[in-house]
């Protein structure tokens, strides 16, 4: 099949339905002479006349009528598919695959989905929860949610949560037993709950702000975990000091089950961002989710 045939057959169908080149040209927004040339070229390639022309109208020849009867259902499917694709730009649909860290999945994404999915019934959301850094292109994901400071330069990053402060926390019983550190140097004499990162498997070095400087401090303790909720439970159990992001333990701080220390040294981190590759055009569904999360953040 000549690659021009489909487009030319659509022109042929439009002319037959309109009953004249003039009316078809008006409907299609094209020049009448251009439509005439298109049909002549199509007839030349097929080797048979498709239209019988008169000064007032055109009608299909017998060969043209048989051809149109055979191809009309397929042409209608093509037109329907194109219209459906155009409609999808205004009515987002399809599945969004997202890779999200555990905390923003619970605290940011899931609370936003009720309203979002109600407004976009054609969208499904497939959430892969992992604190390990994931290559979203290689993993087949549309987007991810991570801390802004951890994202590559070639990503479009949209803030979906406020900046967050780090916090050193422990149970009141731990402070009664071991005292409360007031200087960074004091950490050497304390039990600290270490955290093994998911992405690289190394033990996280606690980062602090000391005046204008940023310093990282290796700490020691009897417990190492690789899961933030377990680390919080260990702190609640009085096993030591934990370095955590303040929103993760806001409820425990409010209830008094955990208390902070070294507040003046704790840095503020760029908050959670939804990110996707800058070289990829985002789908209508992803664009809608980005706008929804951005609106919720400002609201």
């Amino acid at each position: 099949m000549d690659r021009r045939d489909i487009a030319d057959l659509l022109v042929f169908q439009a002319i037959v339905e309109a009953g004249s080149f003039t009316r078809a040209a008006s409907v299609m927004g094209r020049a009448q002479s251009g439509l005439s040339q298109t049909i002549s070229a199509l007839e030349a390639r097929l080797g048979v006349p498709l239209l019988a022309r008169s000064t007032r109208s055109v009608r299909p020849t017998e060969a043209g009528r048989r051809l149109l009867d055979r191809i009309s259902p397929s042409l209608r499917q093509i037109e329907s598919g194109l219209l459906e694709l155009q409609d999808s730009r205004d009515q987002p649909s399809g599945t969004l695959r997202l890779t999200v860290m555990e905390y923003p999945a619970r605290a940011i994404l899931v609370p936003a989905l009720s309203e979002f999915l109600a407004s976009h019934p054609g969208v499904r959301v497939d959430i892969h929860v992992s604190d390990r850094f994931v290559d979203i292109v290689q993993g087949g994901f549309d987007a991810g949610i991570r801390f802004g400071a951890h994202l590559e330069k070639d990503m479009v990053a949209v803030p979906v949560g406020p900046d967050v402060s780090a916090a050193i926390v422990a149970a009141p019983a731990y402070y009664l037993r071991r005292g409360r550190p007031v200087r960074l140097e004091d950490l050497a004499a304390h039990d600290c709950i270490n955290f093994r990162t998911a992405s690289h498997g190394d033990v996280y070095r606690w980062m602090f702000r000391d005046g204008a400087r940023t310093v990282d401090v290796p700490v020691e303790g009897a417990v190492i975990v690789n899961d933030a909720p377990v680390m919080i439970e260990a702190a609640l159990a009085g096993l030591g000091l934990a370095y955590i992001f303040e929103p993760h333990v806001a409820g425990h701080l409010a209830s008094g089950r955990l208390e902070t220390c070294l507040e003046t040294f704790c840095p503020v981190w760029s908050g959670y961002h939804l990110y996707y590759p800058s070289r990829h055009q985002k789908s209508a569904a992803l664009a809608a989710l980005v706008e929804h999360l951005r609106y919720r953040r400002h609201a």
Side-chain angles (χ1 to χ4, degrees):
M1 175 184 287
D2 192 295
R3 64 182 181 180
R4 296 168 292 179
D5 286 346
I6 296 296
D8 292 354
L9 287 169
L10 287 169
V11 171
F12 170 57
Q13 177 183 254
I15 293 170
V16 172
E17 291 178 347
S20 76
F21 281 93
T22 302
R23 286 192 291 271
S26 176
V27 170
M28 301 182 73
R30 295 175 57 178
Q32 179 179 337
S33 59
L35 298 188
S36 180
Q37 292 171 3
T38 295
I39 295 301
S40 295
L42 179 61
E43 290 175 327
R45 292 198 303 275
L46 296 178
V48 293
L50 299 176
L51 292 174
R53 300 164 174 83
S54 70
T55 56
R56 294 182 178 273
S57 64
V58 295
R59 61 179 178 79
T61 64
E62 181 62 28
R65 173 56 61 189
R66 289 199 308 269
L67 175 63
L68 198 58
D69 288 344
R70 292 289 301 274
I71 68 173
S72 283
S74 297
L75 294 178
R76 296 296 182 203
Q77 286 185 325
I78 293 172
E79 289 179 324
S80 176
L82 292 174
L83 288 173
E84 183 178 327
L85 181 62
Q86 291 173 336
D87 289 343
S88 70
R89 295 181 302 179
D90 301 321
Q91 298 295 328
S93 60
T95 299
L96 284 175
R97 297 192 69 240
L98 307 175
T99 172
V100 190
M101 297 179 71
E102 183 267 340
Y103 177 78
R106 289 190 296 105
I108 297 175
L109 182 59
V110 169
L113 286 182
S114 177
E115 185 177 349
F116 174 75
L117 293 176
S119 301
H120 303 90
V123 177
R124 298 176 63 194
V125 182
D126 182 352
I127 305 171
H128 176 77
V129 179
S130 174
D131 287 346
R132 182 184 299 274
F133 186 81
V134 176
D135 185 324
I136 61 176
V137 175
Q138 185 176 1
F141 294 99
D142 296 287
I145 298 181
R146 294 287 187 276
F147 272 116
H150 296 166
L151 301 180
E152 300 293 335
K153 300 296 185 184
D154 63 344
M155 293 290 164
V156 176
V158 180
V160 294
D163 291 346
V164 296
S165 296
I168 307 302
V169 300
Y174 175 84
Y175 291 127
L176 287 174
R177 187 172 73 253
R178 300 294 302 274
R180 190 181 300 261
V182 294
R183 302 175 305 161
L184 295 181
E185 293 83 356
D186 296 342
L187 290 173
H190 279 266
D191 286 327
C192 299
I193 304 167
N194 270 302
F195 184 81
R196 191 175 300 281
T197 65
S199 295
H200 300 100
D202 55 342
V203 174
Y204 180 74
R205 294 167 68 94
W206 292 11
M207 296 188 65
F208 296 97
R209 183 184 64 247
D210 187 5
R213 298 185 306 128
T214 298
V215 296
D216 58 86
V217 178
V219 296
E220 298 294 335
V223 177
I224 302 175
V225 301
N226 68 343
D227 180 80
V230 173
M231 182 169 64
I232 293 170
E233 290 300 320
L236 289 167
L239 296 180
L241 301 167
Y243 186 110
I244 193 73
F245 297 108
E246 192 170 293
H248 296 202
V249 290
H252 298 308
L253 294 175
S255 69
R257 297 184 68 198
L258 292 175
E259 296 177 358
T260 61
C261 62
L262 300 171
E263 294 88 351
T264 58
F265 298 101
C266 290
V268 176
W269 291 73
S270 177
Y272 291 104
H273 288 61
L274 183 142
Y275 66 99
Y276 56 92
S278 58
R279 61 184 179 275
H280 288 192
Q281 182 178 358
K282 61 180 180 292
S283 66
L286 180 56
L289 180 62
V290 168
E291 288 305 311
H292 183 68
L293 292 175
R294 180 184 284 134
Y295 171 79
R296 281 180 58 90
R297 176 175 182 263
H298 290 299

